[in-house]
Amino acid sequence: MSIDYCLQRARELPYIRGQQRHFAAVFCKRGRLISESANSYLKTSPRAFKAASKLGLDDKCYIHAEMRALWLDKKQKGVKLVVVRIGAKGDPMYSEPCPVCKEVLKDFSNIKFVEYTT
């Protein structure tokens, strides 16, 4: 259910040429939604900039869906992160978290499972 929910929410995002429609959500043990987010191509944060700089990927300093979904889980109750990407025609595309998101994910020991579209 969690990946289907994320795919549905990603399809609701407006299509903008040249931008990916990524969507991420964090779920608790019982499968309840804790937080959700989509990519931002305009906003950055010190945490995102620090992780991107550490890896030498300064152009990836924007807030990704995975990052924001993790940060919105303030009490860190989530155990599963789901990441999806939708193509221009609405079909699922490969969406493994990028190196910057994997770096941020290291700070969240509560996340036990990462699921993404392939």
Side-chain angles (χ1 to χ4, degrees):
M1 181 200 135
S2 55
I3 203 156
D4 293 332
Y5 171 80
C6 290
L7 286 168
Q8 175 191 353
R9 294 284 287 143
R11 287 184 180 107
E12 294 170 4
L13 297 172
Y15 173 74
I16 299 171
R17 188 179 173 136
Q19 293 183 357
Q20 301 292 325
R21 290 189 290 175
H22 277 266
F23 189 84
V26 175
F27 294 88
C28 73
K29 279 186 211 175
R30 295 182 181 184
R32 288 190 327 220
L33 178 68
I34 302 291
S35 62
E36 62 185 12
S37 183
N39 268 11
S40 170
Y41 290 92
L42 303 174
K43 296 180 182 180
T44 188
S45 75
R47 292 167 81 181
F49 184 77
K50 181 180 176 184
S53 295
K54 182 177 180 180
L55 298 171
L57 300 169
D58 295 334
D59 59 328
K60 303 270 188 194
C61 67
Y62 295 101
I63 298 176
H64 298 187
E66 302 96 301
M67 292 179 196
R68 188 153 188 267
L70 290 166
W71 295 335
L72 289 172
D73 180 11
K74 303 252 187 250
K75 295 181 182 178
Q76 295 190 357
K77 290 185 175 185
V79 295
K80 182 178 180 183
L81 173 68
V82 178
V83 185
V84 300
R85 180 170 68 132
I86 296 295
K89 295 180 181 175
D91 20 315
M93 298 178 72
Y94 186 75
S95 66
E96 179 181 6
C98 72
V100 177
C101 292
K102 287 178 183 177
E103 184 66 29
V104 170
L105 191 58
K106 291 177 184 177
D107 296 335
F108 293 86
S109 60
N110 57 306
I111 300 296
K112 306 294 182 205
F113 308 100
V114 178
E115 186 177 351
Y116 52 89
T117 52
T118 55

